[in-house]
Amino acid sequence: MPAMDTRQRFYEAYRTLDEKEVAILRDIRDYNPVYGHDIVSKYMTVIICHAGSAHLLYDMQEVHFTANSIAVILPDHIMRPLECSPDYRVTFIMHSNAFCEELKTKRLTHDYEKFHLTPSCHMSDEAMALYIKALDVFEHICNSSIQFYPLRREMLIAQSNVMVELTNVCRREQDSNSHTLSRKQIVAQEFCNLLAMHYREQHEVAYYANNIHLSPRHFSLIIKEATGLSASEYIEEYILTQARNLLATRPDMSVQQICYHLGFSESPSFCRFFKRLTGQTPKDYREQ
């Protein structure tokens, strides 16, 4: 049987992730994203950079991802690849939402949500080597059956905690040496985090402004300064990215189901929204 290409490997991982809870895609060498095109996933993904480098936007900030770095991409946060080097080589670890929820209830000192402020951290050669050894154990448990390890799930949770703590040691050192974020950066990143959690039920600027304890006008000015888009424009772009992703990757969902999933009250309003921003109807986009 011929080996699966990268696209097939990702498709298979996403298709079975809710059942298997963890998917590990080692040494992705031919990962060629569409530059300038937003990527969004409903699953938390850890990315380990073994070689090369990538330049991308994560939410509203530029990130340079280099060898010996680990990034945590949280569910429903937007990543836009800008460029990567020819020798770029990474490993992906994807976690189901149920697995992540259990991690939260059994965590030691880590808090994955902090990664929405600084999505990546750099490790020393020694720290990365230790992390890869921990990943080898994690992958062995992941690939073993419950008959072989009756406490397989508990072992995965425990080993995941080990890997997170190894990351956090480096994060704490990096954070202590980094510059303090400006108020504008903090507001923009908190907005992105709130939007990722509430985009399905909240499309209004006032909701996000109130949660950050700012007036809608002041809040919108800060977001405009940070991103070049007003808060309402950013919300629209975010929902559009989610819509495009669902239309392209979820053939099992009808346009009407996607409409309701994204918080629109009726299909015609969603179709008008989509066509106003893209010049196409959702149906035409999907068929294209």
Side-chain angles (χ1 to χ4, degrees), residues 252-263:
D252 57 311
M253 292 181 72
S254 67
V255 170
Q256 187 172 39
Q257 287 174 318
I258 291 172
C259 152
Y260 295 144
H261 178 84
L262 294 175

Side-chain angles (χ1 to χ4, degrees), residues 43-202:
Y43 298 115
M44 186 186 77
T45 303
V46 177
I47 308 175
I48 307 160
C49 185
H50 304 287
S53 62
H55 180 208
L56 54 95
L57 293 178
Y58 178 76
D59 288 338
M60 299 180 181
Q61 61 180 314
E62 288 193 35
V63 176
H64 292 276
F65 194 42
T66 57
N68 275 21
S69 293
I70 292 180
V72 176
I73 307 302
L74 297 173
D76 291 310
H77 285 254
I78 292 179
M79 184 171 62
R80 177 178 293 182
L82 300 177
E83 60 180 342
C84 67
S85 64
D87 58 340
Y88 187 54
R89 180 168 62 88
V90 295
T91 289
F92 286 77
I93 311 170
M94 293 179 284
H95 308 73
S96 74
N97 295 327
F99 188 82
C100 287
E101 285 303 312
E102 185 148 355
L103 270 179
K104 290 179 182 179
T105 63
K106 296 183 178 180
R107 65 190 175 199
L108 302 177
T109 63
H110 70 275
D111 188 349
Y112 266 138
E113 281 73 13
K114 291 179 181 177
F115 279 90
H116 83 270
L117 294 175
T118 50
S120 71
C121 67
H122 187 79
M123 289 186 163
S124 66
D125 290 340
E126 295 78 11
M128 180 58 77
L130 187 59
Y131 186 93
I132 296 300
K133 287 182 180 179
L135 175 59
D136 291 339
V137 175
F138 186 70
E139 185 173 29
H140 168 73
I141 300 167
C142 183
N143 292 336
S144 300
S145 68
I146 195 169
Q147 286 75 28
F148 191 80
Y149 288 129
L151 297 179
R152 174 184 176 277
R153 196 167 195 271
E154 288 77 4
M155 293 171 70
L156 283 173
I157 294 288
Q159 189 65 12
S160 184
N161 269 316
V162 170
M163 293 160 65
V164 172
E165 279 305 302
L166 289 173
T167 306
N168 274 348
V169 168
C170 297
R171 271 185 55 87
R172 284 190 286 270
E173 181 178 347
Q174 177 177 291
D175 291 346
S176 66
N177 295 327
S178 64
H179 298 294
T180 303
L181 293 173
S182 68
R183 173 61 176 162
K184 177 176 69 176
Q185 290 173 308
I186 292 172
V187 168
Q189 291 171 16
E190 287 295 335
F191 170 46
C192 288
N193 203 43
L194 284 169
L195 187 57
M197 292 188 290
H198 301 292
Y199 71 93
R200 292 179 61 182
E201 66 272 12
Q202 296 292 342

Side-chain angles (χ1 to χ4, degrees), residues 1-18:
M1 177 181 293
M4 287 191 293
D5 64 19
T6 298
R7 185 184 297 272
Q8 289 174 311
R9 290 176 68 188
F10 273 96
Y11 175 78
E12 181 65 17
Y14 278 114
R15 188 180 68 81
T16 60
L17 190 56
D18 286 332

